[in-house]
Amino acid sequence: MRVLLALGSNKGDRCRFIKSAIEKIEGLPRTRVIRMSRIRPYEAWGPAIATFLNTTVLIETRLHPLDLLKNLQDIEIKLHGRERPYKWGPRTIDIDIVLIEDLVIEHPQLKVPHPFMTERIFVLEPAAEIVPHMVHPLKGKTIKALYHSLLRRSQTL
């Protein structure tokens, strides 16, 4: 199955943390990285202070979604302890599962599509670069359409 991941870092050597995480994702069993967007700076969402570097990655995996989540959390821990001092605070690396093909998952540990993805420019912009035609299974719209919609909303604020 194809999975869209969002990665971000705003603490320490941000670019190195992102690249290391992607290397570790590539090393997961039955998983390969298909595409990666450019790494871009974005203002923090929430109370974090430092600017984030963000990217999205499309992977293909045969891991069960909860096994994939566990592996991604293990990568976060290996890259400086999955430091999250408070919600939306600074972090060395954050890896989120954004979409898994057309699946909808409501599990206590995993919600797919990611509940905030349509509100986050730092997810939609890089995702539109690599998977513009991927469809949000609940909204029925492409990533590109969701990105342009968010841009229009943010320009009217």
Side-chain angles (χ1 to χ4, degrees):
M1 71 187 147
R2 292 195 171 203
V3 179
L4 181 65
L5 304 175
L7 292 86
S9 175
N10 78 334
K11 191 173 178 185
D13 188 342
R14 301 168 301 163
C15 195
R16 184 177 60 81
F17 283 122
I18 289 172
K19 288 178 179 179
S20 294
I22 292 168
E23 287 173 10
K24 291 183 183 319
I25 291 166
E26 181 75 42
L28 292 176
R30 301 180 318 221
T31 301
R32 70 183 179 101
V33 173
I34 299 170
R35 272 186 229 121
M36 176 184 150
S37 70
R38 289 176 286 146
I39 298 173
R40 299 177 172 92
Y42 291 93
E43 291 303 313
W45 202 69
I49 297 168
T51 300
F52 272 84
L53 287 183
N54 293 89
T55 191
T56 56
V57 176
L58 182 66
I59 65 169
E60 190 169 76
T61 186
R62 291 179 26 216
L63 293 173
H64 183 278
L66 291 176
D67 292 333
L68 176 61
L69 176 65
K70 170 74 170 95
N71 278 280
L72 296 175
Q73 289 173 339
D74 288 347
I75 290 170
E76 289 177 331
I77 290 166
K78 286 175 188 166
L79 295 174
H80 289 278
R82 196 172 192 250
E83 296 175 11
R84 291 183 178 192
Y86 51 87
K87 188 172 184 169
W88 295 323
R91 56 200 58 188
T92 53
I93 191 70
D94 184 38
I95 309 169
D96 289 331
I97 297 173
V98 178
L99 289 173
I100 303 175
E101 295 184 350
D102 60 352
L103 293 180
V104 175
I105 300 173
E106 282 291 330
H107 186 277
Q109 294 175 303
L110 179 63
K111 297 198 182 341
V112 175
H114 190 286
F116 299 114
M117 72 171 283
T118 60
E119 301 169 31
R120 294 178 169 174
I121 195 78
F122 61 85
V123 171
L124 290 178
E125 184 174 35
E129 178 185 326
I130 63 169
V131 290
H133 303 294
M134 194 172 199
V135 175
H136 189 292
L138 297 174
K139 305 267 184 201
K141 295 181 178 180
T142 65
I143 295 294
K144 184 177 180 180
L146 291 168
Y147 168 58
H148 288 295
S149 176
L150 182 58
L151 281 179
R152 283 191 299 277
R153 285 195 319 262
S154 66
Q155 290 170 353
T156 60
L157 295 177

